[in-house]
Amino acid sequence: MTSLTAKDKDNVRSFWAKVSGKAGDIGMDALARMLIVYPQTKTYFSHWKDLSPGSAPVKKHGITVMNGVGLAVEKINDLKAGLLNLSELHAFTLRVDPANFKILSHNILVVLAIMFPKDFTPEVHVSMDKFLAALALALSEKYR
């Protein structure tokens, strides 16, 4: 994995500052896309009564996911330590296959590109992709 450069970190922080006000919408759309495009991910949410886009559980968990992304932006200099509690939660309590972090990261990138086409420049795209890959790796830490 390519490490985040100082420029990547600046790009991520700057872009997040622009888009974080829409974090709930980003999360809801990314999660809804993941559930539709990758239906195998629905197994983790079988206790929800409604998995459709815009449903209350999808909306609520989308906000939760993006709060985690916001935390990762804050902890960007040490994601492994900064996301340790989330890694433990997903590994030991929720038992989420870490491959799903990459799937959700991809969907977040898609939504960011759709919602913020002028701000989602190629440079921001590369930095956000590297950041989300680092975030997924940090969340996978307790699986090893």
Side-chain angles (χ1 to χ4, degrees):
M1 183 188 87
T2 307
S3 61
L4 292 166
T5 65
K7 182 63 177 165
D8 289 325
K9 292 176 184 180
D10 288 344
N11 285 343
V12 169
R13 287 184 189 111
S14 176
F15 185 66
W16 182 251
K18 291 178 184 178
V19 305
S20 61
K22 295 279 188 187
D25 294 336
I26 297 164
M28 179 181 60
D29 194 10
L31 189 61
R33 284 174 176 275
M34 180 185 78
L35 294 170
I36 292 167
V37 178
Y38 303 91
Q40 72 273 19
T41 61
K42 291 179 181 181
T43 61
Y44 296 101
F45 307 103
S46 60
H47 57 285
W48 291 357
K49 291 181 182 186
D50 186 359
L51 294 170
S52 64
S55 69
V58 171
K59 190 173 193 174
K60 182 180 177 190
H61 195 63
I63 291 168
T64 301
V65 166
M66 294 312 288
N67 284 341
V69 173
L71 175 65
V73 172
E74 291 173 21
K75 307 291 184 181
I76 198 165
N77 289 318
D78 191 357
L79 288 171
K80 200 185 303 187
L83 301 178
L84 183 62
N85 290 341
L86 284 176
S87 179
E88 289 174 344
L89 172 70
H90 286 83
F92 303 131
T93 304
L94 302 174
R95 299 185 182 271
V96 174
D97 180 341
N100 291 300
F101 302 142
K102 293 178 184 178
I103 292 172
L104 184 54
S105 293
H106 172 74
N107 284 280
I108 291 170
L109 282 176
V110 169
V111 172
L112 291 172
I114 291 168
M115 288 181 69
F116 305 96
K118 290 182 179 148
D119 296 308
F120 199 73
T121 63
E123 293 80 16
V124 168
H125 183 166
V126 168
S127 296
M128 287 301 297
D129 190 27
K130 288 167 63 176
F131 167 70
L132 290 171
L135 192 164
L137 186 63
L139 285 177
S140 301
E141 181 64 23
K142 284 297 174 178
Y143 290 82
R144 292 177 230 176

